[in-house]
Amino acid sequence: MLNILARKGKLKRKLRGRAYEYSATVTEARASGHALRDLVDRMFGGSSEELVMSLMKNPPDRRPQIAELSKRFEAEKSGE
């Protein structure tokens, strides 16, 4: 598995003695962003709005979390 990931460029490896040491080639934030985009594309037809609507429906009472996310979103938009 690690060799496949190394061939795909997702990992780099260095020979240390008789064993290889593996490390990531991308940051956690970049990998997370790619995984999220892939999820939205596969599960919600590329629509972020559909993802948000799905989160709002299940379970039905997420108003406190939605309010908090709205505040965080606005803070992020304004550069705070």
Side-chain angles (χ1 to χ4, degrees):
M1 176 71 88
L2 292 176
N3 287 330
I4 293 169
L5 291 171
R7 268 189 263 128
K8 289 182 176 184
K10 307 296 182 187
L11 294 176
K12 57 185 175 184
R13 68 182 191 175
K14 292 181 184 177
L15 187 59
R16 301 272 187 196
R18 294 180 15 191
Y20 284 104
E21 181 180 277
Y22 292 87
S23 59
T25 58
V26 296
T27 65
E28 182 179 350
R30 187 168 175 201
S32 175
H34 178 73
L36 181 58
R37 182 79 252 155
D38 188 51
L39 172 78
V40 170
D41 288 345
R42 289 175 188 248
M43 300 296 294
F44 301 99
S47 171
S48 300
E49 293 85 2
E50 289 299 320
L51 167 64
V52 172
M53 292 305 295
S54 175
L55 291 171
M56 291 173 66
K57 291 178 198 170
N58 300 306
D61 190 17
R62 290 193 181 217
R63 283 177 283 217
Q65 292 93 344
I66 293 168
E68 178 61 29
L69 285 172
S70 292
K71 282 196 287 188
R72 289 174 61 186
F73 178 75
E74 289 302 320
E76 189 75 26
K77 255 182 23 178
S78 65
E80 292 178 9

